[in-house]
């Protein structure tokens, strides 16, 4: 349970930061600082392209400027989009699961296609198929899929669900 909760919280934070970054790049993202009750704004223009590529341009990332407790537009948007889906049971949100899986496959294929077009990549030090496969099952199944699938399966097996 704790592992699934940690993965979900990390995904929510990451999604909210991406939404804030998008808003800051195209418009201006806003956030409410709970420490002093101030509305604060953030945008990309102070960041250089190098800062963005290095990951140093994080929305509301400077705690000395923005404070520690901040409710941003990214969190509100993420909650507004995903909260109705979270309140459904697994059978009701099947269409969203299929949509999410299709989007994941599409984005993964796009990533592979774009990544394969880079000229400066060198595969000389990487084996194409690998030389040792003993950890593959653990990494693939238990890292993401099984952690979330077993609690959902057990929940579905309860008679009142």
């Amino acid at each position: 349970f704790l592992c699934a909760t940690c993965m979900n919280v990390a995904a929510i934070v990451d999604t909210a930061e991406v939404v804030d970054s998008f808003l800051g790049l195209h418009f201006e993202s806003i956030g409410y600082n709970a420490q002093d009750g101030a509305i604060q704004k953030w945008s990309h223009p102070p960041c250089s392209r190098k800062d963005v590529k290095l990951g140093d341009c994080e929305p509301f990332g400077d705690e000395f400027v923005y404070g520690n407790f901040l409710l941003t537009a990214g969190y509100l948007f993420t909650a507004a989009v995903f909260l109705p889906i979270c309140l459904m049971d697994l059978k009701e949100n099947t269409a969203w699961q299929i949509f999410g899986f299709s989007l994941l496959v599409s984005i993964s294929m796009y990533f592979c296609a774009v990544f394969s077009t880079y000229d400066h990549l060198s595969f000389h030090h990487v084996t194409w198929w690998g030389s040792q496969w003993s950890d593959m099952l653990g990494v693939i199944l238990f890292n993401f899929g099984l952690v979330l699938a077993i609690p959902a399966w057990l929940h579905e097996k309860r008679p009142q669900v």
Side-chain angles (χ1 to χ4, degrees), residues 13-135:
V13 170
D14 192 34
T15 303
E17 285 184 359
V18 167
V19 171
D20 280 326
S21 184
F22 175 80
L23 290 173
L25 179 63
H26 296 289
F27 311 105
E28 192 171 56
S29 186
I30 59 171
Y32 173 73
N33 186 341
Q35 289 176 324
D36 58 7
I39 301 291
Q40 298 176 334
K41 297 178 181 180
W42 183 87
S43 62
H44 263 289
C47 302
S48 67
R49 281 192 166 271
K50 183 179 178 183
D51 292 338
V52 173
K53 285 186 177 184
L54 292 175
D56 294 335
C57 190
E58 187 177 322
F60 302 103
D62 190 356
E63 64 187 49
F64 299 110
V65 175
Y66 300 108
N68 290 326
F69 304 105
L70 196 67
L71 178 64
T72 67
Y75 282 101
L76 293 175
F77 181 80
T78 302
V81 169
F82 291 113
L83 190 61
I85 299 169
C86 294
L87 295 176
M88 298 178 192
D89 68 6
L90 290 175
K91 291 180 183 175
E92 290 176 347
N93 70 9
T94 303
W96 285 104
Q97 294 175 42
I98 292 170
F99 170 74
F101 178 74
S102 302
L103 188 64
L104 173 69
V105 169
S106 301
I107 291 173
S108 298
M109 289 182 358
Y110 175 75
F111 173 77
C112 289
V114 169
F115 195 67
S116 67
T117 61
Y118 287 140
D119 295 331
H120 61 278
L121 293 178
S122 173
F123 294 105
H124 297 293
H125 301 291
V126 180
T127 59
W128 186 254
W129 295 108
S131 59
Q132 200 239 6
W133 295 95
S134 64
D135 296 332

